Amino acid sequence: MISTSLIALIPLLPIFTFIFIALFGRKYMPAYCGALGTLSIGTSFLLALKVAFDYFTIEGKKDATGMLTDTYHQIIPFKITWLQFSPNLSIDIGILLDPISIMMIVIVTFISLMVHFYSLGYMKGEERYATYYSFLSLFTFSMLGLVLSSNIFQIYIFWELVGVSSFLLIGYYFDKPSAVAASKKAFIVTRFADLGFLIGILVLAYYSQTLDFQTLIKCLTTDTPQHANIVAASFMGASALTWGLVLVFIGGAGKSAMFPLHVWLPDAMEGPTPVSALIHAATMVVAGVYLVARLFPVFSLSCPPALEIVAWVGISSSLFAAIIACTQTDIKRVLAYSTMSQIGYMMFALGVSGYGGENGLGYMASMFHLFTHAMF
């Protein structure tokens, strides 16, 4: 059985490291903060591998009765009620394990470990060396919390924490006007997108009367009163379900730098180069793809028009960014537009995919591309 404490340690180690370095590391042991941060995330990576091994070999195939099956099941090893609004509606803090969340914790911890390790030499001699590693730990915690969230409001909390972390890292060289401008631009553009995300969450929660992913997906993909109500309600010719999903997708499009919310990504390369690798190529910018994948059953089974919008935004962003990349002379900006183009492919693959028990060809292609792109 997968240990709850083992899973909880994966995101908790980086946040404890952030707190320790922020409070004591910068003053008492600045030269060792890099090694401490690297050791911490290295431990999280090993724990993520252990959890992934246990899940994909035995634990993930056990159903609710403990019997082994041929498909992987969702596991919620930890869940507590934080705020109770009504008998049916509450904000919970929990951990959700399934194939995509397991894949993402391995990606996030591995890429973060590589960036921590590379930064030991790259950032050596920097005046704010300890601060840099504290920010990296905060970002890693935020991203791990995002992908392990068991409900849509919890994912929003960590979504905003990721935004704060990226703001701090992009503006690391705060004495550089271009870096300060880039960090503010990234923060403001993604906040506009996140407003759409928040409204979308409220629309879906209002009609489904839940924030929990499992219950939400069940309510909106089966013949339930909640599904009937959200489909019947309409605004400007589109159902409330379509509006809710499109607004949620706007949040994902902002974080993943999809057109026309792409303007922050090239400028964000003003941060240290290892930060560009961590945030703007492998982890934060694929959060939008992860969000659509998490709600993919609802998009595919209940609202094909919203999924079609995902496809069109994805393919247009991919072509648009690839053309712009051909005209760039700064290699980091070339990589920024290349990343945008590749994420467009992931969105397009999701948008054209059918849903068949998570075996849709496009769904699989999108997740596979996400994994390989992160590693490259």
Side-chain angles (χ1 to χ4, degrees):
M1 184 175 179
I2 300 176
S3 169
T4 303
S5 57
L6 202 69
I7 302 164
L9 274 176
I10 297 173
L12 287 179
L13 281 172
I15 191 60
F16 288 152
T17 304
F18 162 71
I19 295 170
F20 180 82
I21 293 176
L23 293 178
F24 307 108
R26 291 186 298 173
K27 184 175 181 180
Y28 299 107
M29 44 183 294
Y32 300 100
C33 289
L36 177 63
T38 305
L39 180 63
S40 171
I41 194 60
T43 306
S44 289
F45 172 60
L46 293 176
L47 292 175
L49 286 181
K50 175 68 167 62
V51 170
F53 178 80
D54 291 344
Y55 180 86
F56 286 116
T57 51
I58 297 177
E59 297 300 327
K61 293 188 175 182
K62 289 182 180 178
D63 60 15
T65 63
M67 298 293 292
L68 288 175
T69 64
D70 293 329
T71 57
Y72 292 107
H73 302 276
Q74 291 185 335
I75 301 174
I76 299 182
F78 170 78
K79 184 178 179 181
I80 60 169
T81 299
W82 179 33
L83 295 174
Q84 187 81 44
F85 297 115
S86 70
N88 297 323
L89 184 62
S90 64
I91 296 178
D92 302 325
I93 300 296
I95 293 174
L96 174 62
L97 298 181
D98 65 359
I100 59 171
S101 64
I102 293 288
M103 178 191 74
M104 287 301 295
I105 62 171
V106 172
I107 289 174
V108 172
T109 52
F110 177 71
I111 301 300
S112 185
L113 174 61
M114 293 297 99
V115 169
H116 274 73
F117 184 72
Y118 182 74
S119 297
L120 289 173
Y122 189 90
M123 301 298 289
K124 188 176 181 181
E126 289 282 348
E127 185 180 349
R128 300 170 67 234
Y129 183 73
T131 301
Y132 172 81
Y133 271 96
S134 68
F135 289 167
L136 279 186
S137 295
L138 177 62
F139 173 82
T140 305
F141 161 73
S142 304
M143 195 66 207
L144 287 170
L146 189 156
V147 299
L148 288 172
S149 296
S150 64
N151 68 79
I152 197 168
F153 197 83
Q154 183 185 347
I155 212 174
Y156 182 77
I157 294 170
F158 285 103
W159 191 272
E160 295 305 313
L161 270 176
V162 166
V164 171
S165 306
S166 69
F167 170 79
L168 294 171
L169 285 166
I170 295 167
Y172 173 76
Y173 295 117
F174 65 90
D175 53 349
K176 242 176 109 177
S178 57
V180 173
S183 63
K184 288 193 292 185
K185 187 176 184 179
F187 191 78
I188 292 169
V189 171
T190 52
R191 291 299 74 72
F192 275 110
D194 293 350
L195 176 61
F197 185 14
L198 178 60
I199 297 172
I201 291 173
L202 296 176
V203 170
L204 295 179
Y206 176 79
Y207 285 99
S208 64
Q209 288 298 297
T210 184
L211 294 165
D212 180 75
F213 277 123
Q214 287 183 319
T215 312
L216 179 74
I217 291 171
K218 184 178 179 182
C219 284
L220 300 182
T221 56
T222 56
D223 189 15
T224 60
Q226 293 92 332
H227 180 262
N229 290 336
I230 197 171
V231 171
S234 65
F235 177 70
M236 294 177 65
S239 69
L241 178 59
T242 302
W243 278 107
L245 291 177
V246 169
L247 287 166
V248 166
F249 171 64
I250 287 173
K255 196 72 84 183
S256 292
M258 293 288 95
F259 179 82
L261 298 169
H262 67 285
V263 292
W264 65 269
L265 185 58
D267 292 338
M269 293 297 173
E270 287 290 339
T273 297
V275 167
S276 301
L278 176 65
I279 296 181
H280 309 122
T283 53
M284 187 184 96
V285 289
V286 298
V289 180
Y290 175 81
L291 180 64
V292 176
R294 173 57 69 205
L295 290 173
F296 187 66
V298 185
F299 275 95
S300 183
L301 292 177
S302 301
C303 197
L307 198 59
E308 190 174 331
I309 292 173
V310 174
W312 278 108
V313 170
I315 197 62
S316 59
S317 298
S318 182
L319 178 62
F320 176 76
I323 293 171
I324 294 179
C326 294
T327 68
Q328 300 300 304
T329 54
D330 183 333
I331 186 63
K332 289 181 74 174
R333 294 180 76 89
V334 173
L335 291 174
Y337 283 110
S338 171
T339 296
M340 177 184 164
S341 181
Q342 296 304 305
I343 294 171
Y345 281 124
M346 299 175 206
M347 288 291 193
F348 176 68
L350 285 173
V352 298
S353 179
Y355 187 77
E358 291 193 357
N359 291 319
L361 184 60
Y363 180 93
M364 293 173 63
S366 180
M367 294 300 98
F368 179 71
H369 190 79
L370 189 158
F371 183 86
T372 55
H373 180 261
M375 295 303 164
F376 289 144

